[in-house]
Amino acid sequence: MNALAATSRNFRQAARLLGLDSKLEKSLLIPFREIKVECTIPKDDGSLVSYIGFRVQHDNARGPMKGGIRYHPEVDPDEVNALAQLMTWKTAVAAVPYGGAKGGIGCSPGDLSNSELERLTRVFTQKIHDLIGTHIDVPAPDMGTNAQTMAWILDEYSKFHGHSPAVVTGKPIDLGGSLGRDAATGRGVVFATESLLAEYGKSIAGSTFVIQGFGNVGSWAASLLHERGGKIIALGDVSGSIKNATGIDIPALLEFKSSGGSVKDFAGADVMHSSELLLEECDVLLPCALGGVLNKENAPHVKAKFIVEAANHPTDPEADEILAKKGVVILPDIYANSGGVIVSYFEWVQNIQGFMWDEEKVNMELKKYMNQAFTNIKSMCKSHECNLRMGAFTLGVNRVARATMLRGWEA
């Protein structure tokens, strides 16, 4: 089942639990605006090439729309749509005053030079500049884009609208980016894990963890879990997977990786087959990489007690049902990986105020938001007698529905 079908299915289930009016339900699913633009740029060799850029703006009932821009050869309108919708519910669960959006350009960033990427980003910004803005739609980095991409968007947008640092988040620190943004998603995952384990009388110290994906989110989560006394017994990335029953030395692995080594060559652990990584016995499994990694084939063999979804949509709905029957507790992506958008909100607030925070304040506020959201999800689970995924979806959908009705959506 693709991301759009799964997200829509979760939404419909939540709408039923909440008893939403069918007209309102339909209205909440339809995106506010879909934008598709042609971006033609000269390549370094002088030839012209055209790319298609998208931006789906899903909902703005609770505030400006918010979501990443990805540069990827398979930027598919359906997927962008699903991710924009997911951002609407995610920002509502986290209680940040945003709606959802998502965008991208169908290109292979690895095949473009830095100056070609800059030209492409600037042309895309010229095409959509009057449809984004501090109080309209605030983009952020995603797959294939980074702080530099945001800097180009900021600069191009400011040529039309004057200096506007709050038009994008995930910027370089020197241009108004927030301290703590880099670690935010991984740190949020750790706060979420802490809240979940506490529910069951456990803590990170002394628990065992398996981490799939060792990019930004996976490496920050691993390092912060290790710091808190968690034992990471297996982890893997695209290069391969490793395990060590006594716990992998994460600081040593990070040092090895930053000096050019790959995970599978790390001396402090044994190589394992990547297909076995998700099936390794542990307390907590953290999928931090791609969507759809837990499916009906491997779900029956998962031995973890808890799954914290640090990636977007790592569990297929079929796998969801199998794991629920086995008694595995799943903390859903819509809450677990919302640390990134929460700190993006802090960055936007700092830019609007023109007053920057220190890192300690950023992390303290992030913890407050993550803990509060968990408490709110648990109370939805109680009142609707549902699992954590539906608790999070009912919380998010309910907030957006209430805002929509208060604004007078039928007029």
Side-chain angles (χ1 to χ4, degrees):
M1 183 182 287
N2 71 10
L4 182 58
T7 305
S8 301
R9 171 181 153 156
N10 287 329
F11 166 76
R12 279 193 295 273
Q13 221 174 321
R16 270 201 306 279
L17 283 173
L18 293 164
L20 285 194
D21 175 82
S22 64
K23 293 195 295 298
L24 178 62
E25 181 182 336
K26 195 170 174 209
S27 155
L28 287 177
L29 262 185
I30 299 168
F32 167 76
R33 177 162 51 202
E34 294 189 28
I35 304 156
K36 189 175 174 184
V37 295
E38 182 201 26
C39 302
T40 303
I41 59 157
K43 301 259 298 186
D44 292 342
D45 63 11
S47 63
L48 284 180
V49 59
S50 291
Y51 299 97
I52 293 177
F54 301 94
R55 186 76 177 161
V56 174
Q57 299 177 329
H58 179 257
D59 190 277
N60 60 0
R62 295 182 60 258
M65 292 161 290
K66 185 95 193 72
I69 288 182
R70 50 178 55 185
Y71 287 1
H72 192 268
E74 285 144 40
V75 170
D76 154 63
D78 252 13
E79 190 188 21
V80 174
N81 225 310
L83 293 166
Q85 189 198 131
L86 204 59
M87 283 303 294
T88 298
W89 318 133
K90 184 184 282 189
T91 50
V93 169
V96 294
Y98 288 138
K102 204 77 175 187
I105 299 177
C107 69
S108 304
D111 298 344
L112 296 171
S113 70
N114 205 42
S115 57
E116 286 166 343
L117 280 171
E118 177 172 354
R119 287 197 287 277
L120 182 57
T121 305
R122 289 182 184 278
V123 169
F124 184 49
T125 309
Q126 286 163 18
K127 296 284 173 99
I128 64 167
H129 77 89
D130 49 356
L131 299 168
I132 62 172
T134 305
H135 300 291
I136 303 168
D137 176 5
V138 182
D142 200 316
M143 269 161 65
T145 56
N146 55 25
Q148 179 59 71
T149 319
M150 296 306 107
W152 290 329
I153 295 175
L154 162 65
D155 182 69
E156 197 60 32
Y157 181 87
S158 297
K159 288 176 185 174
F160 296 95
H161 302 274
H163 181 57
S164 316
V167 68
V168 286
T169 58
K171 299 182 293 294
I173 302 290
D174 295 328
L175 290 175
S178 176
L179 295 170
R181 174 68 188 84
D182 189 40
T185 310
R187 192 177 293 275
V189 165
V190 172
F191 290 146
T193 307
E194 231 163 15
S195 296
L196 178 66
L197 289 174
E199 269 300 295
Y200 292 85
K202 299 179 185 327
S203 69
I204 288 175
S207 295
T208 56
F209 298 85
V210 169
I211 298 179
Q212 188 209 28
F214 204 60
N216 172 285
V217 182
S219 56
W220 274 109
S223 127
L224 294 163
L225 288 166
H226 181 83
E227 236 172 65
R228 288 165 166 73
K231 200 152 80 167
I232 289 101
I233 54 168
L235 65 79
D237 66 0
V238 282
S239 77
S241 303
I242 54 172
K243 65 175 175 179
N244 180 343
T246 59
I248 296 166
D249 181 350
I250 300 297
L253 173 60
L254 285 167
E255 198 169 311
F256 175 71
K257 206 178 161 221
S258 67
S259 63
S262 69
V263 167
K264 68 172 191 320
D265 302 326
F266 180 60
D270 304 318
V271 173
M272 68 187 291
H273 201 282
S274 285
S275 62
E276 290 162 17
L277 182 66
L278 296 165
L279 314 179
E280 191 68 20
E281 193 164 330
C282 61
D283 295 319
V284 187
L285 170 63
L286 289 103
C288 299
L290 296 167
V293 293
L294 293 163
N295 48 42
K296 60 175 187 287
E297 278 76 44
N298 61 12
H301 312 294
V302 168
K303 299 178 198 71
K305 300 178 188 72
F306 301 95
I307 294 174
V308 176
E309 296 189 333
N312 277 324
H313 188 61
T315 316
D316 276 357
E318 295 93 336
D320 233 356
E321 282 164 28
I322 296 166
L323 292 164
K325 284 197 185 86
K326 291 178 64 170
V328 179
V329 178
I330 301 179
L331 195 60
D333 51 0
I334 178 180
Y335 161 67
N337 66 25
S338 61
V341 75
I342 293 171
V343 176
S344 275
Y345 163 59
F346 298 162
E347 180 178 333
W348 180 77
V349 166
Q350 292 169 74
N351 293 154
I352 288 172
Q353 288 190 324
F355 179 79
M356 306 308 283
W357 304 351
D358 60 31
E359 194 164 349
E360 198 183 340
K361 180 173 167 71
V362 173
N363 294 341
M364 188 185 73
E365 292 289 339
L366 172 60
K367 184 171 188 170
K368 206 155 64 182
Y369 271 76
M370 291 301 293
N371 292 352
Q372 188 55 55
F374 187 78
T375 307
N376 294 340
I377 290 168
K378 286 303 290 186
S379 81
M380 285 310 249
C381 291
K382 263 199 196 73
S383 52
H384 295 289
E385 294 177 346
C386 58
N387 63 15
L388 288 164
R389 189 181 308 281
M390 271 307 113
F393 263 89
T394 48
L395 174 65
V397 172
N398 191 41
R399 281 181 171 157
V400 179
R402 285 213 317 252
T404 306
M405 282 159 70
L406 285 166
R407 281 174 162 242
W409 68 287
E410 286 174 308

